[in-house]
Amino acid sequence: QVQLVESGGSLVQAGGSLRLSCAASGSILIINRVGWYRQAPGKQRELVAHITVDSRTDYVDSVKGRFTVSRDNAKNTVYLQMNSLKPDDTAVYYCNANGLGPFGSPFDSWGQGTQVTVST
């Protein structure tokens, strides 16, 4: 069982910055990929950014140049640095991680989400 806990969401003015954290705990051998998703009211959940075990990253076009995803393997934690925030970034942000536990058992876990609200 792998648990993910997101933190760092808050209310911020447009143009401001936030850093979200996604901390994984439990029986983890390796985390292959972590994705940051967001869901705004009335909209589908979308993938915002992801990072692989070898730190390759990718971003949705709407956040390129503003968001940066990074990971600290020693802490089993992934970060999402969000700069130049816009009201359209308002959403609940979730992290998702997949990988392997002991004896090679796969896992795919979601966090509970953290609210990001960007005011004008």
Side-chain angles (χ1 to χ4, degrees), residues 7-116:
S7 60
S10 182
L11 171 64
V12 64
Q13 286 189 331
S17 297
L18 285 175
R19 189 177 81 156
L20 306 184
S21 299
C22 172
S25 62
S27 300
I28 300 169
L29 180 62
I30 187 171
I31 298 175
N32 288 325
R33 175 189 176 277
V34 176
W36 281 102
Y37 295 75
R38 66 185 179 188
Q39 187 165 21
K43 295 187 177 182
Q44 289 189 332
R45 189 173 297 189
E46 67 168 344
L47 176 63
V48 175
H50 76 257
I51 185 166
T52 63
V53 65
D54 55 353
S55 295
R56 287 180 291 123
T57 60
D58 200 7
Y59 304 87
V60 69
D61 285 347
S62 60
V63 308
K64 284 182 179 177
R66 300 189 298 122
F67 290 11
T68 303
V69 60
S70 61
R71 62 192 290 166
D72 184 334
N73 291 330
K75 296 181 179 180
N76 281 336
T77 299
V78 171
Y79 306 97
L80 184 67
Q81 178 67 42
M82 306 186 296
N83 299 327
S84 302
L85 282 162
K86 305 175 181 180
D88 283 349
D89 295 319
T90 295
V92 178
Y93 284 71
Y94 301 88
C95 65
N96 165 261
N98 61 65
L100 298 175
F103 312 110
S105 55
F107 67 85
D108 190 310
S109 299
W110 287 87
Q112 82 290 349
T114 186
Q115 176 70 48
V116 172

